[in-house]
Amino acid sequence: MAASADCLLADVVFDRPLTTVYQYIVPDGLRDLIAPGERVQAPFGRGDKPTVGYCVGLSTTLPAGRTLKTLESVLDREALIDSQMLSLTHWIADRYLCGWGQVLETVIPKGVKTKAGTREVTSFALSDALRQKLCLADPDVSLTESPSQQVAVKDVLDALKLRAKQRVVVEVLIAANRTLTVGEIAAAAECGVAPIQALREKKLIVPHRERVLAIPQMGPIEAHREIVLNDDQARAVNSILAVVRASEHRTLLLHGVTGSGKTEVYIRAIEEVVSYGRQAIMLVPEISLTPQTIRRFRSRFKSVAVLHSHLTPSERHGHWKQIASGQVQVVVGARSAVFAPTPHLGMIVIDEEHETSFKQDNTPRYHAREVARHRAEIERVPLILGSATPTLESWQRAIDGHDLLLSLPKRVEDRPLPPVVIVDTRNDPAVGKGAAIGRALFQAMNTALKEGGQVILFLNVRGYWPVLWCRQCGEGIKCPHCDVTLTWHKARDVMLCHSCNYSTKPPLTCPKCNRPGLTSLGLGTERLENEVRTRFDHYKCLRMDSDTMQQRGSHDAALERFRHGEVQILLGTQMIAKGLDFPNVTLVGVINADTLLHQPDLRSSERTFQLIAQVAGRTGRGDRGGRVLVQTASPTQYAILQAAKHDFLAFAKEELSHRKALKVPPFTHLARIILRGPDEKSVREYATIVSELTRATVKELGADVRILGPAPCLVTRLKANFRYHLQMAAVNMDDLRAIWLTAAPQFPNHSTVEYQIDVDPMNFR
């Protein structure tokens, strides 16, 4: 009884799709080492396989009638995350219906867990014996605090009869009153290694080994020019600061047209937060993490950390440690930066909050906006969401009064929004003959370039030809592992699957009927580049897409060339559609504006509007003004018409009326159950079982939940797996959670079919 009363238990979760928190006995040898937020190794499963897990809590109450296993080891010397982050990750697991351990595995970067970038360094300190001779055993007290002590130190050193350089080394260590590396000692004492080694052999100094992390360097800081806020910006800043000064949580939606100065509003608000000794997190889409954005923040704040996917593990570890120590004022990063370990968080900002990249595609399928909202609530700090084209979910929250709406209706310096011309390509003779650039756009490009302006061309399809098909049998050349056509990439002369990266040489005959005469359909950025270089051979052209921007730093280098006027025509995919501010761009051309429009996706119109509005915002930012030409075969579609008018309010009103009638977001929550396996019949049969069990659960609980499906996914075969899905819809998120947590444990185990759930899905492929 006495032994059980003195028992310490650890609550442990594993990187598994499990909601269970397991309890383990902490042996006496680990009691002083373990803490919540650390990784542990524990026996797991029937075979007691040593498995890495996360300690999420400690307790002393031994459960009755249960035999507990014992922890094997503690893997970290200190907690990797604090109690607030543990609370946040637990909420994510509950909200997005996945394992708590899966969330923790994602939140803590690999470089932090492996201590990437650290190296073992040997440093030296005075030995205890020498310190005693110096009449001072306390290592925290200086050896030269008083004149009498200084005399005593001199007498001891005289008695030791050290060589001159050896004596200097000892004096250097006395003055430093801390461990010093060989390099630090040699530099301070102006000596080589020999005197240090001699003192070590005499046991007057002793070595200490520790792991040291190299802190990443950010390079020089540019000076910034003072910016005077206009009245709209000043009102927005004052509204944000009122929330900051009240020390309360509030979500503020900053809706500002492109070029209205939203970034300056963020910076002014963050400056006030930093002046209180607090930190800010600034989330931007990965493709907007340009040198331009980073330079602007680094010119305004003393310490800025940048977190994004192109960092090496050691760089990420270095930034993580700096942030956790409180040394960093502003964290600028992509989606995962929402988990930055800021000990003094004062504000979170999400720029371009409409970007789909803020939703993670694999487990845990969290949305950074909702995670940021909950983290801001926990830490009682404001959350600012900014966009020229907010998501309808955020817009509806502002309409309903849940969030505070701030508006920037005009561009800075009262610059006009660029006029947008819709070009109907159905009757364009050039496009009819297979050209990417229509007659009107060609003439506009000629004019802009002759006047010394720069041109941006946007096309959201990469490769040369998206489709090769047979004239005889009508069959397209498809990926053998996916239900998608292969795209021809001319530079590499390969047919490539953009879903699984399968590649093959272009066939000379149809794989199905074995006849020659394959023909192409559609166009991609590679073909557009070829046409531009042919028709505008006197001007330099640069293509930016995931094919050309693979090397580290290539994205930054390309934009710098365009910024300095070395390139006159920039063309590419979404990576050039937002976040760029180049005053000399006087023309933007949108090729095939309706690429996204006809996809079976509830957000297709919204995304079309956002893309056109965002890419149109890349011009007219200088004194020379600018214009936009939008080529489309759907010139009367309301998303395209309203984007041409820069009228988000009219678009949102019409689109919300459609969404409300269909009972889809933002008026309901969705959850998508995806099933996949190598055999289509097995997947279809298992999907039917899952559907029946889920519907039975809805009936049993009396929940107001609609279920659609099962049905084949839009891309039924993906990466050699057949895929079916169901969709659950409910006004209340708690109803969806209750259905899943009740139904999922009833799903029978299947040897070849697996399932997963995506809460608030953004991708319906």
Side-chain angles (χ1 to χ4, degrees):
M1 289 175 64
S4 64
D6 189 35
C7 189
L8 180 64
L9 306 178
D11 297 330
V12 179
V13 294
F14 297 94
D15 181 19
R16 302 284 192 279
L18 303 168
T19 57
T20 309
V21 177
Y22 297 88
Q23 283 194 311
Y24 288 85
I25 295 173
V26 181
D28 292 341
L30 300 181
R31 285 191 171 207
D32 294 334
L33 301 177
I34 194 167
E38 293 178 341
R39 290 174 303 146
V40 297
Q41 186 161 285
F44 183 69
R46 291 181 180 177
D48 286 343
K49 181 181 179 181
T51 305
V52 175
Y54 294 86
C55 175
V56 295
L58 297 171
S59 61
T60 56
T61 304
L62 191 66
R66 287 177 57 193
T67 302
L68 300 182
K69 299 175 185 179
T70 303
L71 282 184
E72 295 176 354
S73 61
V74 175
L75 303 180
D76 302 304
R77 293 184 180 180
E78 58 186 20
L80 300 179
I81 57 175
D82 59 19
S83 59
Q84 287 185 318
M85 189 58 69
L86 277 173
S87 175
L88 179 66
T89 54
H90 189 217
W91 176 86
I92 294 171
D94 187 53
R95 174 69 170 72
Y96 292 98
L97 302 173
C98 57
W100 192 355
Q102 291 177 298
V103 180
L104 289 167
E105 186 69 17
T106 298
V107 165
I108 303 170
K110 183 179 179 181
V112 175
K113 288 178 283 197
T114 60
K115 298 180 174 58
T118 60
R119 57 190 177 91
E120 194 170 77
V121 174
T122 301
S123 56
F124 288 89
L126 300 175
S127 67
D128 290 341
L130 181 54
R131 295 187 71 87
Q132 288 173 0
K133 286 182 181 180
L134 295 168
C135 301
L136 191 67
D138 188 350
D140 295 326
V141 179
S142 172
L143 295 172
T144 54
E145 284 186 342
S146 65
S148 61
Q149 269 186 339
Q150 293 174 15
V151 172
V153 168
K154 183 178 183 301
D155 291 343
V156 171
L157 295 182
D158 289 342
L160 290 173
K161 297 181 180 180
L162 300 174
R163 292 179 180 270
K165 285 297 182 183
Q166 293 175 12
R167 180 168 181 145
V168 174
V169 169
V170 174
E171 289 172 344
V172 165
L173 286 169
I174 291 172
N177 198 35
R178 64 180 178 88
T179 62
L180 296 176
T181 65
V182 172
E184 290 173 326
I185 295 171
E190 298 181 348
C191 69
V193 180
I196 302 171
Q197 185 62 29
L199 290 170
R200 181 179 182 180
E201 291 172 356
K202 294 177 181 180
K203 297 184 178 179
L204 295 176
I205 64 174
V206 291
H208 294 270
R209 291 180 177 84
E210 59 181 342
R211 298 203 69 84
V212 177
L213 174 64
I215 301 300
Q217 301 299 312
M218 295 295 291
I221 298 175
E222 297 181 1
H224 79 280
R225 62 183 180 87
E226 288 298 327
I227 298 174
V228 178
L229 299 181
N230 60 32
D231 292 343
D232 294 325
Q233 288 174 303
R235 275 193 294 271
V237 170
N238 290 335
S239 297
I240 295 169
L241 294 184
V243 178
V244 171
R245 291 162 186 163
S247 299
E248 63 181 18
H249 164 69
R250 190 78 195 270
T251 298
L252 305 98
L253 177 61
L254 180 62
H255 174 226
V257 298
T258 54
S260 59
K262 294 185 289 296
T263 304
E264 186 63 27
V265 172
Y266 306 146
I267 289 175
R268 294 295 178 96
I270 291 172
E271 281 177 339
E272 175 115 356
V273 168
V274 167
S275 72
Y276 301 151
R278 308 196 74 180
Q279 299 165 286
I281 296 174
M282 174 82 185
L283 299 186
V284 298
E286 183 86 41
I287 55 178
S288 295
L289 268 175
T290 62
Q292 191 175 6
T293 302
I294 296 167
R295 273 197 302 267
R296 188 165 181 181
F297 276 88
R298 292 190 64 240
S299 70
R300 304 286 284 272
F301 300 97
K302 292 180 180 178
S303 54
V304 176
V306 181
L307 297 176
H308 56 82
S309 62
H310 296 297
L311 293 179
T312 64
S314 59
E315 288 173 333
R316 187 174 286 272
H317 185 202
H319 284 304
W320 183 275
K321 284 291 187 183
Q322 276 189 308
I323 295 165
S325 69
Q327 298 174 24
V328 171
Q329 295 174 327
V330 184
V331 180
V332 181
R335 178 180 62 230
S336 61
V338 73
F339 303 116
T342 48
H344 313 297
L345 185 62
M347 176 181 289
I348 304 176
V349 179
I350 303 182
D351 190 29
E352 309 289 6
E353 70 89 26
H354 64 276
E355 270 295 315
T356 55
S357 62
F358 286 124
K359 179 74 159 71
Q360 177 146 305
D361 283 337
N362 51 5
T363 304
R365 290 175 166 78
Y366 68 89
H367 198 299
R369 180 188 61 229
E370 300 311 312
V371 173
R373 191 191 305 279
H374 191 72
R375 184 174 184 185
E377 288 173 1
I378 292 174
E379 308 211 26
R380 298 197 60 75
V381 300
L383 167 65
I384 304 171
L385 307 175
S387 176
T389 56
T391 60
L392 295 182
E393 286 84 351
S394 295
W395 187 252
Q396 188 62 41
R397 282 185 62 88
I399 292 174
D400 293 341
H402 300 304
D403 299 340
L404 181 62
L405 178 63
L406 308 175
S407 294
L408 299 177
K410 297 181 292 185
R411 283 188 159 187
V412 294
E413 300 178 1
D414 284 328
R415 291 193 178 110
L417 286 164
V420 178
V421 177
I422 298 175
V423 179
D424 186 351
T425 57
R426 293 174 299 181
N427 300 313
D428 190 299
V431 174
K433 294 177 182 178
I437 300 170
R439 184 170 57 184
L441 181 56
F442 177 78
Q443 292 172 351
M445 289 176 66
N446 258 329
T447 301
L449 293 168
K450 285 178 181 177
E451 293 175 350
Q454 290 173 294
V455 175
I456 289 178
L457 297 178
F458 171 75
L459 174 61
N460 205 30
V461 180
R462 63 189 179 99
Y464 197 89
W465 282 323
V467 178
L468 275 180
W469 61 285
C470 176
R471 287 181 177 272
Q472 304 296 326
C473 66
E475 189 74 12
I477 309 301
K478 287 189 174 182
C479 172
H481 310 298
C482 309
D483 281 341
V484 295
T485 55
L486 296 176
T487 300
W488 183 46
H489 289 251
K490 184 179 180 181
R492 290 185 282 166
D493 191 29
V494 296
M495 301 291 292
L496 182 65
C497 175
H498 290 173
S499 294
C500 71
N501 288 326
Y502 166 83
S503 63
T504 185
K505 285 290 183 181
L508 299 176
T509 60
C510 173
K512 185 176 181 181
C513 68
N514 205 31
R515 294 180 184 177
L518 295 175
T519 189
S520 60
L521 186 66
L523 59 99
T525 49
E526 196 176 359
R527 184 181 165 199
L528 176 61
E529 178 190 26
N530 186 69
E531 183 175 329
V532 168
R533 291 186 184 280
T534 302
R535 302 177 72 178
F536 297 92
D537 55 341
H538 297 302
Y539 301 98
K540 289 188 178 179
C541 167
L542 181 65
R543 171 165 59 99
M544 289 186 66
D545 55 27
S546 56
D547 296 318
T548 60
M549 300 290 116
Q550 291 183 348
Q551 292 186 355
R552 191 176 181 187
S554 56
H555 185 275
D556 304 343
L559 292 179
E560 284 302 291
R561 288 182 62 197
F562 191 64
R563 172 196 296 278
H564 292 113
E566 298 174 27
V567 173
Q568 289 78 46
I569 304 172
L570 178 68
L571 66 92
T573 53
Q574 287 193 54
M575 62 177 64
I576 67 166
K578 47 191 77 72
L580 307 182
D581 188 355
F582 298 124
N584 198 41
V585 174
T586 57
L587 176 67
V588 166
V590 181
I591 313 293
N592 291 357
D594 40 13
T595 302
L596 294 174
L597 196 59
H598 306 298
Q599 295 185 2
D601 187 326
L602 67 91
R603 295 185 177 87
S604 59
S605 293
E606 183 179 5
R607 288 174 181 167
T608 299
F609 179 92
Q610 290 167 345
L611 272 175
I612 295 174
Q614 291 289 338
V615 76
R618 299 314 106 205
T619 187
R621 289 172 172 255
D623 296 332
R624 303 177 65 179
R627 59 193 296 236
V628 183
L629 266 69
V630 177
Q631 293 188 168
T632 176
S634 306
T636 59
Q637 209 278 341
Y638 69 94
I640 293 175
L641 288 174
Q642 302 300 359
K645 297 176 184 176
H646 305 285
D647 194 345
F648 174 78
L649 299 183
F651 168 76
K653 183 178 180 180
E654 184 160 356
E655 181 68 9
L656 283 171
S657 68
H658 297 325
R659 300 275 189 94
K660 193 169 187 177
L662 294 171
K663 297 182 180 179
V664 295
F667 302 101
T668 58
H669 289 282
L670 297 181
R672 184 174 177 235
I673 304 172
I674 307 157
L675 306 100
R676 65 182 183 185
D679 178 63
E680 184 173 14
K681 182 181 178 184
S682 297
V683 176
R684 183 171 61 248
E685 290 173 350
Y686 192 71
T688 302
I689 294 171
V690 167
S691 170
E692 291 170 352
L693 289 170
T694 305
R695 284 186 165 89
T697 303
V698 171
K699 188 175 181 180
E700 177 188 342
L701 298 183
D704 186 12
V705 176
R706 289 184 298 123
I707 297 179
L708 297 177
C713 293
L714 177 62
V715 180
T716 305
R717 194 164 186 245
L718 185 68
K719 299 179 181 178
N721 280 310
F722 291 92
R723 302 158 66 243
Y724 278 63
H725 61 164
L726 293 87
Q727 187 172 286
M728 299 191 295
V731 174
N732 192 334
M733 182 62 208
D734 290 337
D735 288 340
L736 289 181
R737 186 182 299 110
I739 295 301
W740 177 255
L741 294 178
T742 305
Q746 302 176 50
F747 298 167
N749 292 328
H750 198 290
S751 58
T752 61
V753 180
E754 60 182 33
Y755 61 86
Q756 53 197 201
I757 186 165
D758 186 3
V759 176
D760 294 335
M762 301 294 290
N763 180 5
F764 291 88
R765 220 172 53 143

